[in-house]
Amino acid sequence: MPIAAATNDNGAVTLGGNFPGCPSLDPVTGDGTTAAAVTYSKGAVGPYLTHALVHFPTGGAATAMDRLAAAVTTCKSFSQELAGITVRFTLAPTEVPPTLGQSAFGVRMTGDTDFGIAVTADIVAVRRGEFVLWLNDMTVGTTPAGMVTTLANAAADRCASRIKGC
């Protein structure tokens, strides 16, 4: 069931959340971008599946991908307060099919708390021309099945068949 959706034609759609402990994961959209995103949830603690598509001005998609991909090296671990609880995150690269677009990367964010609550997110980003596809599979308390890698192929194919230049 969809729980949130956003579209815009002149500003930020948050991709990756708001992570002050890791500036590379800050929103990569802004003036000149066009974006649409939808989040689905199975329940209160997830899993949550987010799919976003962002169209950047010329050259912007490559810059955004470089910044997002840098998170794996610049933010190998960091702490973040979420809903009043400190979560310690560790980032690790994951394999994604290299044929999805001009560039693609995957990352797993694994978080733990003093209360023994796990927060895990699998993220895949794909650049196709000046478009970036973003898929995020997040759960609280369980380890996700890694659906985003499987869904990335379908998302890339659908984008190519429906949007010129994608």
Side-chain angles (χ1 to χ4, degrees):
M1 147 174 23
I3 60 168
T7 60
N8 77 18
D9 61 0
N10 63 354
V13 166
T14 300
L15 302 182
N18 184 15
F19 295 98
C22 182
S24 295
L25 292 176
D26 283 347
V28 296
T29 60
D31 289 342
T33 59
T34 303
V38 63
T39 298
Y40 296 89
S41 175
K42 186 173 181 179
V45 294
Y48 299 95
L49 180 64
T50 299
H51 178 207
L53 177 64
V54 182
H55 183 255
F56 289 88
T58 302
T63 300
M65 287 292 288
D66 290 345
R67 185 170 147 206
L68 289 168
V72 176
T73 55
T74 61
C75 303
K76 289 181 183 178
S77 63
F78 64 96
S79 293
Q80 176 79 31
E81 189 170 308
L82 297 173
I85 299 171
T86 300
V87 181
R88 292 170 300 278
F89 283 106
T90 303
L91 275 65
T94 58
E95 293 289 323
V96 296
T99 57
L100 291 174
Q102 285 90 353
S103 61
F105 76 93
V107 62
R108 174 168 273 200
M109 291 178 61
T110 306
D112 63 56
T113 68
D114 292 333
F115 303 104
I117 299 170
V119 179
T120 307
D122 284 328
I123 300 165
V124 170
V126 177
R127 181 174 74 84
R128 298 178 65 92
E130 291 304 330
F131 291 92
V132 172
L133 298 159
W134 173 274
L135 296 154
N136 181 9
D137 178 5
M138 187 193 81
T139 60
V140 177
T142 60
T143 301
M147 289 180 14
V148 296
T149 301
T150 303
L151 293 175
N153 285 318
D157 289 346
R158 184 175 180 142
C159 188
S161 71
R162 296 194 174 196
I163 300 172
K164 184 179 178 180
C166 185

